[in-house]
Amino acid sequence: MMSDIVTATSDQSATGPDGAPDDGLAAAAPTTAERPVSALGTWWARFAAQHKLIAQFVMFYAFSLFVTVLQYVLLTFLPGLFYRFTDWCSIPAQIGHIQLGPVDTYVFDYPVTGDETGGMGYFAAFAITLFIAQCVNFPMQRNITFKSHGNVWYQILWYVIAFVLITVVCSFLMGLYVPWLKALVPPAVYNILITVVNGGVQMVIYFPIYKIIFPEGESTKR
């Protein structure tokens, strides 16, 4: 009697709920579904393995371009908000006077222009867009482009230091070409040119610095 029960139990466990033989005893069903890999994904993985530096630069450029577009979108309305709801655009923001031969400018040169493209209002809007852009850019570059696993707080510290220094340099360069652009193009085009030129200069400077700040696979505690 007991042997019949054991035999029946064994037979039942060897079949599925519909009574068909259960082949899952030989090979357990996978817990997660395998994702199909596209031909483009396969090609990119192979290319990235063979040309790591080029692949990193392509990813770096793509994310930087995304951040540049984000900055432009923010600059299309933030200066207008400051101009409409505050009097900051009537306050000059000219900080760090520099005079080198024929060059007479400021590190941060935002004089009052009578509209939203000048004064403390535009300076504040530009600073906000830079801050938001870097908050988006940091995790993408660290985790996706360079796949770094270093001490995140140490990397944030050096990222902020590099960001401040590069921003000062780029702001000085902007003091040289911004007045010229303002005299030639309307505000909408001006915002595009400022974003593209400033973003392009920063991309050239940032890539080698990111290679230092985000060493791939680095996990040393600092």
Side-chain angles (χ1 to χ4, degrees):
M1 181 71 172
M2 182 63 67
S3 61
D4 292 341
I5 296 175
V6 172
T7 303
T9 304
S10 300
D11 293 341
Q12 189 175 26
S13 63
T15 60
D18 57 354
D22 189 359
D23 295 333
L25 295 176
T31 56
T32 58
E34 295 183 1
R35 297 179 179 178
V37 180
S38 65
L40 180 61
T42 303
W43 175 85
W44 175 254
R46 188 184 307 115
F47 179 86
Q50 296 174 352
H51 310 281
K52 181 184 294 184
L53 184 62
I54 297 176
Q56 285 180 339
F57 184 80
V58 170
M59 295 294 294
F60 164 81
Y61 179 81
F63 290 139
S64 298
L65 186 61
F66 169 76
V67 168
T68 299
V69 173
L70 174 63
Q71 285 182 263
Y72 170 71
V73 171
L74 293 173
L75 279 176
T76 59
F77 66 89
L78 274 182
L81 293 179
F82 279 102
Y83 182 73
R84 180 178 179 182
F85 296 106
T86 72
D87 61 349
W88 287 17
C89 291
S90 62
I91 304 172
Q94 295 174 297
I95 307 169
H97 183 237
I98 295 177
Q99 187 171 7
L100 299 172
V103 177
D104 186 2
T105 185
Y106 294 86
V107 174
F108 298 99
D109 188 16
Y110 298 90
V112 174
T113 59
D115 58 19
E116 70 272 16
T117 63
M120 185 64 71
Y122 191 87
F123 174 68
F126 189 74
I128 290 172
T129 62
L130 279 178
F131 177 76
I132 294 176
Q134 299 315 312
C135 289
V136 174
N137 194 43
F138 177 87
M140 292 194 302
Q141 302 291 6
R142 177 183 185 268
N143 300 328
I144 302 176
T145 301
F146 297 99
K147 297 180 175 60
S148 179
H149 303 285
N151 186 302
V152 65
W153 297 111
Y154 176 84
Q155 292 176 336
I156 289 176
L157 172 64
W158 282 107
Y159 187 93
V160 170
I161 293 174
F163 167 70
V164 171
L165 293 177
I166 293 172
T167 299
V168 169
V169 171
C170 290
S171 296
F172 169 72
L173 295 176
M174 287 174 63
L176 301 179
Y177 63 79
V178 163
W180 177 69
L181 289 177
K182 281 185 177 180
L184 293 178
V185 297
V189 179
Y190 163 80
N191 283 333
I192 295 177
L193 293 176
I194 289 297
T195 303
V196 171
V197 174
N198 190 59
V201 172
Q202 290 191 19
M203 279 193 292
V204 173
I205 300 175
Y206 268 122
F207 184 73
I209 292 179
Y210 283 174
K211 288 289 291 181
I212 299 173
I213 296 177
F214 302 132
E216 185 175 352
E218 179 68 32
S219 60
T220 303
K221 297 289 184 181
R222 294 185 183 271

